[in-house]
Every structure is written in structure tokens, then in C-alpha cells.
Amino acid sequence: MATAASAEPQPTLSVFDAVTIMVGIVIGIGIFKTPSLIAANVGSEAAFIGVWAAGGLATLIGALCYAELAAAHPHAGGEYHFLSRAYGRPVAMLFGWARGAVIQTGAIAAVAFVLGDYAAQVAPIGAYGPALYAALSVVALTALNVIGTVQSKTMQIAMTVIEVAALGAIILVGLFWSGEAAPAAAASEAPATAALGLAMVFVLLTYGGWNEAAYLSGELRDPARNMARVLTIGTAILVALYVLVNLALLAILGLDGLRGSEAVAADMMRLVAGEPGAKIVSLAIVAAALSTLNATIFTGARVYFAMARDLTLLPRVGEWDERGRAPANGLILQGVVALLLVGFGAASRNGFQAMVDYSAPVFWAFLLLVGAALPILRWRAPGRKLPFRVPLYPLTPLLFCAGCLYMLHASLAYTGRGALIGLAVVLAGLPLLLFQRQREALPPQLPKSARPAAAE
């Protein structure tokens, strides 16, 4: 029988477990979409690989800052907890709204569009095929989660294996294939609309998710000692994989080939193994996309559930469905918002890019606040013994904040109206603060059937 203590997050994760989860979160399907967008915004092959390496360095700097925050303030609330301690509950609640209305739902729609692009490679259904596939996938997986049919651990592992296998195949084929590649494009010039800042937006979007490791600190064994290991090892693995994958794509398609591709992995395998090869890799990516989309829908709805518990508005969204063991109303609300974003993306030239425009400025604004929280929390407790200190302080957090500020500027300067819409949606959440519960909210008590079972 589960006790009250067993309903709290328990330190059960090893370093290996946490690194695996971190890498699994980050290696989503963005790597199968963003290379073409990045290639369109750089002037040479060296610059193309250079921005991926620069993105890895920026990610490492951010990971070191997060390592100090997570080691000093381990909590399952992750960034919500850091922001609450540094700036107060209203800022944390606005972050929760932004995550639920812009960041997470924008990610759901973006993943759905990549799934749609590759599904259309397997079974074309017209010009709006990718958007239709995207909408159907959001509806189907939201319904599965409402019913309570969540992918089992075994299925999630299987889907991750498929995704990593697809990356491995791309690396091996690109680096060791002896056939004839696409014509070299060494002398090609970047399009007139190219912008290095926008290329970095897409690079760091593809690295995005490393910050989710902060949410593991409440369940990691000895987080004071191990968070830095998890973040640095995980980041090193990601940089190696991404640089190798893009070297492989470049070797087969060339820079011009990447610029003109809507589905880089499928086009690469089409050159190497013909149409059957393109179909196989597209099916593998669709399977991986379904897994990524399901996990994003599953975790995203918890934000609506938690926010509703802190607000007097929309109380039914904070209800937990005992039968399905899921926040059913939160899932439905999230699904509606995601479908609206799919419709918005379908009306634009490129659905995936529209979702990046919509969510990127909001993401970087809050990441900037998290980075600034590190010196604020140090200043408030100058004598506190920190389990892990970020190297080269205060240079490292200053570099991280400067990078976030630059990316915020770039995501506003080089994106379209979607960026303004995303920021407007965040500001629209300000009135929610008038409905926050006056008492300090206690952690929500889940129904007995929804509590974690005791360790087997």
C-alpha cells in the first residue's frame, strides 16, 4: 500500500539513467527537419558545420549553469522552482502559462508537422497532406492519453531505438558510402534572405530539451554530485551525434541539396538506395515522431493540471480522471490549443517554421530569466555552501545570459508575425495572476489510484 512518502519523487535515477533520458528527450525529430532550414541561412559548408559546433558550446555553457541551480535547489518542478525562488510565485506562474499555451503546445504542433512531412513521403494525400497528418496525429494521441492508454516503457524504449538506429544509419551511410553523391556545392552562395542569427535559432532549437534535465534533479541519486555529470556527459554525446549526422547529410546531399529538401533523411536515402530506402527511413522517422509526440502531449498536459490547482479559474481543468489516471480535461484543453496552432501553421508557408517563430522568443525570454536566477540566488545567500559551482563565475552565467539575449533578439528580428502572436499570448496570461489562490498552494494530492505504486 502506497504511503504519503511514496507519493513524493524518490531518488531512484542513476547517472546513466538520467543521461539516457536527457539524450532521449533532446534527440527528437528536429534533427530530421532543421538541417535544410539551417543550410538556407549559411554561406558555406564550413559555416554549416560551424554553427552546429557553436550550438554545442552554447548548450554546454547553459548546462553548467543549470548544473549549479539543480544541484543547489533539486526539485521535480525544475525551472518553475528556480523562477519561484528567484523572482516569486507570479513570475513562476506566468512561466507555467507560457509553457502550457506557447512553449509546449508549440512544440507539439512543430513535432506534428515534421511527422506530417515524413508521413506525406510514405503516403501522399495532396498539398495539405502534412497539415492533415499533423492534425490527425494530435487528435489521435490526445484521445489515447485521455482514455489512459499511454505507451508502455517497453514501447517507448523501442521507439527510441528506432530513432537512434535511423541516426546511426544516416551517419554510416553518409561517412562510408562509396557511391556517387549529389553534385558538390562548395561555390554556392547563401540566399539573399539568409541570416546567421536565424540559423542559430534552428540549431539551438534542435539542441533544445537539455534544460529538461533540471526536472530530473528531484529523482536523481545524490544530485549535488551527479547533476553536473549528467549535463556535461549528455551534452558531449549530443554534440558528437549532431555534428556527425550533419557531416553525413552534407557528404551525400551537399549544401544546395540540403537547402532544397523538405525531408533530408528521406532525400538522402533516396539518392543512396532509391525509393525503397526513402520509404524505409520515412517510416522509421514517423514511428519515432509518434513516440516523441505522445511523450510531449503526456508531459505538457500536467502543466495545465498544476496551474489549475493554483488558480480559482477553470477549476475543472485541475481535476484528475481516476478511471484513465490522467488529467483528462487538461489534455483536451491542450489538444484544442495545439490544433489551433496546427491550423495557424497550415495557413503559413512552412508549418514547422511557423511554430518555431511562435515559440522561440518566449522560450528564450524565460531561459534568460533562469540564467539570471543563478547570480540572484547566490547574492541572496552569499555564505551558502554550493554542492557544485559553475566554472569561471561570473563569466559563465554572463555568457549564458548574453547568448539568451542574442537568441531572443534573433528570434524576434528574423521571424515573422508568429513571434508577435506568441508574445501576445504570454501577455494575455497576465490577468490569470488576479485569480491565483491567496494561500500558498500545497502540492496537489492525487487520487489514490493515480499515485505512484510502491517500488516492486
Side-chain angles (χ1 to χ4, degrees):
M1 181 171 150
T3 64
S6 67
E8 297 295 323
Q10 299 296 309
T12 58
L13 296 177
S14 67
V15 170
F16 176 81
D17 295 333
V19 168
T20 302
I21 293 170
M22 175 185 169
V23 172
I25 289 171
V26 176
I27 301 181
I29 54 176
I31 186 61
F32 301 111
K33 180 66 178 179
T34 56
S36 60
L37 300 171
I38 294 162
N41 286 283
V42 296
S44 67
E45 295 184 351
F48 177 73
I49 296 300
V51 294
W52 285 101
L57 178 61
T59 299
L60 178 60
I61 291 171
L64 290 171
C65 293
Y66 267 63
E68 177 172 322
L69 287 168
H73 312 283
H75 193 278
E79 293 155 316
Y80 191 101
H81 182 64
F82 306 153
L83 292 171
S84 182
R85 291 184 65 91
Y87 307 105
R89 189 171 161 207
V91 172
M93 289 185 66
L94 193 61
F95 167 74
W97 161 257
R99 186 173 167 88
V102 179
I103 299 171
Q104 197 79 358
T105 43
I108 289 170
V111 171
F113 273 114
V114 180
L115 185 153
D117 285 339
Y118 278 91
Q121 295 279 323
V122 177
I125 55 173
Y128 289 98
L132 289 173
Y133 279 123
L136 287 172
S137 63
V138 170
V139 171
L141 290 176
T142 297
L144 279 175
N145 278 277
V146 168
I147 294 168
T149 309
V150 183
Q151 289 177 329
S152 68
K153 181 179 178 180
T154 302
M155 181 62 75
Q156 281 295 142
I157 292 173
M159 292 297 100
T160 301
V161 168
I162 290 173
E163 195 167 35
V164 172
L167 285 178
I170 290 171
I171 292 171
L172 290 173
V173 169
L175 298 184
F176 299 104
W177 187 55
S178 58
E180 187 174 339
S188 65
E189 295 182 357
T193 55
L196 191 62
L198 183 56
M200 285 300 298
V201 168
F202 290 120
V203 167
L204 292 175
L205 172 76
T206 314
Y207 278 108
W210 60 266
N211 54 305
E212 297 290 314
Y215 295 90
L216 303 177
S217 61
E219 300 170 72
L220 181 67
R221 297 173 195 157
D222 193 4
R225 187 166 61 98
N226 288 331
M227 272 311 300
R229 296 180 182 180
V230 170
L231 285 159
T232 52
I233 294 171
T235 301
I237 292 171
L238 291 167
V239 173
L241 279 174
Y242 280 176
V243 170
L244 287 173
V245 165
N246 282 284
L247 282 170
L249 290 170
L250 204 56
I252 300 298
L253 294 175
L255 199 61
D256 281 342
L258 282 172
R259 288 170 180 163
S261 175
E262 290 293 326
V264 290
D267 289 343
M268 172 186 169
M269 292 306 293
R270 186 175 287 111
L271 274 175
V272 172
E275 202 59 39
K279 295 283 186 184
I280 290 171
V281 77
S282 293
L283 281 170
I285 293 168
V286 168
L290 285 170
S291 174
T292 302
L293 186 58
N294 183 75
T296 309
I297 288 172
F298 179 86
T299 58
R302 271 62 184 169
V303 173
Y304 290 92
F305 172 70
M307 285 288 292
R309 289 301 182 97
D310 283 344
L311 297 170
T312 58
L313 193 66
L314 299 175
R316 294 200 62 186
V317 177
E319 294 178 359
W320 190 272
D321 179 32
E322 292 196 42
R323 182 185 61 180
R325 300 187 180 185
N329 294 332
L331 283 161
I332 293 169
L333 178 58
Q334 175 182 257
V336 170
V337 175
L339 282 175
L340 290 173
L341 293 180
V342 168
F344 168 67
S348 64
R349 182 178 57 85
N350 184 311
F352 177 82
Q353 184 163 344
M355 291 304 98
V356 174
D357 294 352
Y358 176 71
S359 59
V362 178
F363 172 78
W364 287 110
F366 279 105
L367 208 66
L368 173 61
L369 287 178
V370 174
L374 191 154
I376 289 172
L377 292 172
R378 273 206 189 191
W379 173 74
R380 285 186 180 168
R384 178 172 181 169
K385 183 177 180 181
L386 296 172
F388 173 80
R389 288 181 173 270
V390 66
L392 304 177
Y393 181 87
L395 179 61
T396 306
L398 282 174
L399 285 174
F400 179 57
C401 289
C404 291
L405 192 61
Y406 173 76
M407 293 309 300
L408 176 60
H409 162 73
S411 60
L412 287 170
Y414 301 118
T415 53
R417 60 178 179 173
L420 299 178
I421 294 173
L423 291 172
V425 170
V426 173
L427 294 177
L430 286 172
L432 288 176
L433 300 179
L434 300 175
F435 297 93
Q436 65 177 305
R437 299 188 187 279
Q438 296 305 308
R439 60 182 174 80
E440 195 66 28
L442 295 173
Q445 185 69 30
L446 301 184
K448 183 177 179 181
S449 61
R451 297 174 195 165
E456 296 179 0

